[in-house]
Amino acid sequence: MPVQGPVVALWALVAMSAVAFGTAFWRRWAPPLWVALAVGLGVRAVTVALSYDLTPRDVAIYFQNAGRLVLDGADPLTGLPRFQWNFLPLMPYIFGAEISTGLPWQVAGKIAPVLADLAMIVLLMRLGGAERGSLAAFLYAVCPLAILVTAVHGQVEPVSLALGVGALLAARRGGPGWAGLLAGLAVASKTWPVILIPGILREVPVRRWWAVTAGAVVAPLLLLASIPLFLHDSVREAVHVLTSYRSLVGRWGWAGVLNYLDVAGFGYAGPKIDTIQRVGTLVTAVAVLSVLVLFRKADAIALTAALLLAFLAVTAGFGVQYLLWPLPFVLLLQKRLGLVWALLASGWAAFFYLVTVPYPKLNYFTEDTLRWSSLLVIAAGVAAIPWRDRSKEATQPVIAAPKPDQLPRKPVPAGG
């Protein structure tokens, strides 16, 4: 097959990245920021080149079409078939700019995700502080999961995450207005970053929550206003499409098992898909509320990691790119179980991108493999939830008691 050579090379790259990831964690590598950025950019550039013919259909076709519609002054929300684009036009505007570069779409469409990943490396360095931040930044640079979602898939997730993590950093540094604006942009890029808002608010005094809220509504409102101005569509029709969004059902978790048992269909529509989605929404709401209660005293990083890992455990609708959501927060926590989850999630994603996508004739085998192995990834994710960090005290570093020979000595009296 024409993709065989690149697939083999990508598997080798994934293996080397996984080894680098594990080694960096165990040896506590904390290189300077420029090293993490150089490694991150280099491995992603190579991956973009190798995956030229492997970009999944949603990015290769749907996102490209969304960008072309914007360039023609049309709204992707209503101009594309249902479920091909279901979000505000922030990213389609970016897709249009990428198309305008004149580069082949398989390259141009990955400019924004790669740049967002480089921004994420910087953000993790700033959020984590000296040694912890340097390690988290390098781990993200070499993590196979981040490389695959960004440089093979070219999905929106890296952009959404960079905006969301940037909002958290702004909140921590005392800029609630900027935090709200970045959070609003994250939600405008895709809807799911709304899950990040509790962690952002955790970093802001309650009396300043209004500033976060005000900032967060600006970007979505401006993008809604741009629809009749630039895309010649009605806000009412756009909102209808936005509120009817659902994720694909079929290969993940409990919904995937129901699909295997022929209780539910596969995809966005089919037998009992509506029921499964409604049940999934209810279960997800219960899980999120439970985490908010259990982690009400946790710091922002632990709370956000718990929310996102819990979401992945119970969601009915799922895309492989969702695995990227908890990664920055898991890397900042730097727990061993988090490392295990990141490697398992990387393997799951690699199987999808490097077996399911290039070899569709094997789908009967690959779908079953993805379905049942997802249960292992979910179990690892639940174990990686920072249960011991449910209180602020639990997340504070433990200061070791000084040894006897390190205790300050009493001054000797003069003449004594």
Side-chain angles (χ1 to χ4, degrees):
M1 299 180 74
V3 296
Q4 185 173 355
V7 167
V8 172
L10 284 168
W11 272 114
L13 186 146
V14 166
M16 289 187 291
S17 298
V19 170
F21 181 82
T23 304
F25 180 84
W26 290 111
R27 294 192 176 181
R28 309 295 296 177
W29 286 350
L33 177 59
W34 71 266
V35 173
L37 286 171
V39 171
L41 176 59
V43 73
R44 283 157 179 77
V46 171
T47 304
V48 168
L50 290 172
S51 61
Y52 189 90
D53 294 319
L54 297 173
T55 305
R57 176 183 293 271
D58 53 357
V59 174
I61 299 176
Y62 306 159
F63 290 10
Q64 181 179 189
N65 289 342
R68 295 194 183 282
L69 281 173
V70 162
L71 292 176
D72 292 336
D75 186 3
L77 275 168
T78 54
L80 291 175
R82 194 180 182 199
F83 304 125
Q84 289 192 11
W85 185 259
N86 305 91
F87 312 102
L88 288 167
L90 173 62
M91 290 308 301
Y93 290 146
I94 294 175
F95 299 155
E98 289 172 330
I99 290 171
S100 299
T101 63
L103 295 169
W105 175 251
Q106 289 86 342
V107 175
K110 295 174 182 177
I111 292 174
V114 169
L115 291 177
D117 255 9
L118 297 180
M120 178 63 75
I121 291 170
V122 177
L123 290 168
L124 291 175
M125 179 78 79
R126 300 289 182 262
L127 262 177
E131 183 178 349
R132 181 177 291 268
S134 297
L135 174 57
F138 188 75
L139 288 173
Y140 191 88
V142 299
C143 182
L145 177 59
I147 295 166
L148 289 163
V149 173
T150 298
V152 174
H153 200 161
Q155 256 289 352
V156 174
E157 261 61 23
V159 177
S160 302
L161 263 179
L163 290 167
V165 174
L168 179 59
L169 180 61
R172 179 167 287 186
R173 294 193 169 185
W178 285 108
L181 181 60
L182 289 169
L185 287 169
V187 173
S189 65
K190 264 192 166 182
T191 311
W192 71 263
V194 70
I195 307 175
L196 304 177
I197 290 178
I200 295 168
L201 292 175
R202 179 57 51 86
E203 297 293 325
V204 178
V206 175
R207 67 181 185 277
R208 302 298 305 277
W209 281 11
W210 68 268
V212 177
T213 304
V217 301
V218 168
L221 288 179
L222 287 176
L223 286 161
L224 277 174
S226 76
I227 290 174
L229 289 175
F230 304 121
L231 305 180
H232 309 97
D233 197 8
S234 77
V235 172
R236 182 178 179 180
E237 289 296 321
V239 170
H240 173 72
V241 176
L242 284 169
T243 54
S244 65
Y245 171 70
R246 63 179 58 168
S247 298
L248 184 141
V249 169
R251 64 167 67 94
W252 179 261
W254 63 270
V257 173
L258 292 181
N259 172 251
Y260 177 82
L261 298 174
D262 292 327
V263 174
F266 181 93
Y268 298 103
K272 298 186 179 179
I273 288 290
D274 287 338
T275 301
I276 295 299
Q277 291 278 7
R278 283 195 293 269
V279 172
T281 300
L282 178 61
V283 173
T284 301
V286 171
V288 168
L289 289 173
S290 299
V291 169
L292 288 174
V293 172
L294 289 171
F295 285 76
R296 63 189 179 277
K297 294 183 179 180
D299 70 7
I301 303 300
L303 171 63
T304 307
L307 283 170
L308 294 171
L309 289 168
F311 177 93
L312 290 179
V314 301
T315 184
F318 176 80
V320 63
Q321 67 274 10
Y322 292 12
L323 291 170
L324 189 65
W325 298 359
L327 184 64
F329 308 97
V330 168
L331 297 184
L332 284 168
L333 291 172
Q334 295 173 13
K335 311 281 188 180
R336 291 183 181 181
L337 290 175
L339 169 75
V340 173
W341 174 82
L343 289 174
L344 286 174
S346 296
W348 201 92
F351 188 87
F352 174 81
Y353 290 127
L354 304 182
V355 178
T356 302
V357 173
Y359 304 114
K361 292 182 179 180
L362 299 176
N363 271 4
Y364 182 82
F365 161 73
T366 59
E367 290 296 339
D368 279 352
T369 302
L370 290 170
R371 185 177 291 113
W372 297 110
S373 62
S374 74
L375 302 179
L376 177 61
V377 180
I378 288 170
V382 172
I385 291 175
W387 300 107
R388 295 183 179 181
D389 294 348
R390 285 177 291 169
S391 67
K392 290 183 180 180
E393 292 78 14
T395 60
Q396 299 303 313
V398 177
I399 301 176
K403 296 179 181 179
D405 60 352
Q406 294 176 332
L407 292 172
R409 297 180 180 179
K410 292 182 179 180
V412 179

